[in-house]
DNA sequence: CCCCGCTGTTCAGTATTCTCATCACCCCGG
DNA sequence: CCGGGGTGATGAGAATACTGAACAGCGGGG
């Protein structure tokens, strides 16, 4: 249960609004608002969006504020990094998964022999990395290069790009992407 | 219906995950994921949070990305500014309510005779403003000053502060607060 | 004192989300 | 040709979000 309730109540009271008044403006019933604020209910994204709009806020700044706490810890053991890829062909293991307000995705990437990514045309982000093992052919906007241990890359994620393991064994990359919506 | 579905699907596919695999990791059923991605269902905040965690993202960056579009328009007529206060005693009228990724709250504030705010101890933000009509006594950290037309203020919102209309008539302030979670 | 208007909470009923099982499709191997 | 293992979509039922109508408490005025 994400702790949106307390934050919402503070926001509403700061506006000097009662539950009924906010209900009227947002189109959400005052009883629902009561339940949400006391965290007895987790609102749907639609409902929360309606309430936030009536309060003059946006999802991103509401949650930015909510998640602005300090990280629980600074260190992560190799084996506890959270797998966010498929692990069999290409593994992406995430650093700082419980860092509430992280602004980048720091990844330990591991490519099985022959593994390659789709051609990705992603969004407004930047990514960089260093090959730490094996050999990876990186293609950005049609231009390819084979990177080996110590070689690196840095490009705008909006350019079409892909990765291919060209080493007979396993290849590894340490990379970072920002913002973390990779 | 906030358009989270398409963004979620793109994110999942970028990770090379099937719906079942993501369901396994997030604890949300694959059928729910299917419905959410096709926008036939608005997930609860809890459910969305579980999915985002499994994908290695946070609420704030997910929505920051979602709301990163351009504003629909640059101009707002005085009478269309959205009221986010109570209008009777103190009115807060918002500029740019449909600006998807606004990073500040620009307000036209209007104080009825005798109106005053509670003592507010808010959060990590900065606010500034200029009095455009009447006279307002602003108190920050115990220090008070009466500001008249053209006078201004700028302080850290974490300091306890309050506003009081000391003019016999209506007073007005144009203010800005950042971030917009006022 | 009662009554009004305000506050937020609670409860019964309805609508929606969500789960689990099934279904349909596609590709690969035999 | 028929499995097997993968994909995502669907449908019935259980769980939960949500509504609208009470209810209880508080402060002010007659």
């Amino acid at each position: 249960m994400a702790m949106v309730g307390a934050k919402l109540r503070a926001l509403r009271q700061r506006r000097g609004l009662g539950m009924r008044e906010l209900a009227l403006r947002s189109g959400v019933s005052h009883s629902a608002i009561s339940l949400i604020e006391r965290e007895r209910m987790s609102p749907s994204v639609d409902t929360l969006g309606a309430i936030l709009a009536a309060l003059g806020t946006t999802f991103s700044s509401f949650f930015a504020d909510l998640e602005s706490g300090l990280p629980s810890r600074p260190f992560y053991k190799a084996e506890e990094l959270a797998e966010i890829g498929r692990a069999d062909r290409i593994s992406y293991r995430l650093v700082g998964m419980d860092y509430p307000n992280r602004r980048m995705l720091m990844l330990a990437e591991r490519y099985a022999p022959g593994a390659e990514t789709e051609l990705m045309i992603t969004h407004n982000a930047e990514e960089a990395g260093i090959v730490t093992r094996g050999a990876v052919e990186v293609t950005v906007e049609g231009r390819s290069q084979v990177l080996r241990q110590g070689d690196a890359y840095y490009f705008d994620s909006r350019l079409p790009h892909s990765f291919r393991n060209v080493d007979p064994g396993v290849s590894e990359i340490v990379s970072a992407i920002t913002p973390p919506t990779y």
Side-chain angles (χ1 to χ4, degrees), chain A:
Chain A
M1 187 84 69
M3 37 168 296
V4 310
K7 215 82 191 176
L8 266 185
R9 170 160 293 186
L11 195 50
R12 174 176 62 80
Q13 290 176 337
R14 228 174 284 149
R15 299 273 188 273
L17 301 177
M19 288 185 177
R20 279 153 218 273
E21 180 59 28
L22 179 57
L24 200 63
R25 297 188 193 181
S26 62
V28 177
S29 68
H30 64 276
S31 34
I33 293 173
S34 172
L35 293 168
I36 293 166
E37 288 189 354
R38 289 177 305 121
E39 325 236 313
R40 305 176 71 79
M41 191 168 99
S42 175
S44 79
V45 169
D46 277 5
T47 306
L48 179 61
I51 295 173
L52 292 182
L55 291 170
T57 320
T58 63
F59 279 113
S60 42
S61 42
F62 180 77
F63 283 112
D65 191 54
L66 196 65
E67 296 173 334
S68 65
L70 290 175
S72 40
R73 50 170 172 159
F75 306 119
Y76 300 87
K77 304 287 288 180
E79 59 274 17
E80 42 179 21
L81 300 183
E83 174 67 60
I84 62 170
R86 359 190 335 161
D88 53 342
R89 304 296 294 160
I90 307 176
S91 158
Y92 298 109
R93 310 205 319 126
L94 172 63
V95 179
M97 50 290 181
D98 50 6
Y99 195 115
N101 193 28
R102 69 192 110 96
R103 300 236 171 71
M104 66 167 131
L105 216 54
M106 163 64 80
L107 295 175
E109 306 185 7
R110 190 172 180 285
Y111 291 74
E116 59 186 319
T117 65
E118 313 284 313
L119 183 70
M120 297 196 275
I121 303 170
T122 26
H123 62 155
N124 201 340
E126 293 182 12
E127 52 188 295
I130 299 182
V131 174
T132 55
R133 183 176 169 202
V136 179
E137 183 191 62
V138 181
T139 305
V140 179
E141 234 191 341
R143 289 175 298 175
S144 295
Q145 187 145 357
V146 174
L147 303 180
R148 303 178 187 282
Q149 193 172 116
D151 298 337
Y153 62 86
Y154 191 143
F155 56 83
D156 187 309
S157 308
R158 282 171 299 188
L159 302 172
H161 56 282
S162 60
F163 296 81
R164 188 162 66 93
N165 183 9
V166 293
D167 192 272
V170 164
S171 287
E172 292 180 351
I173 298 177
V174 172
S175 76
I177 301 152
T178 176
T181 327
Y182 171 31

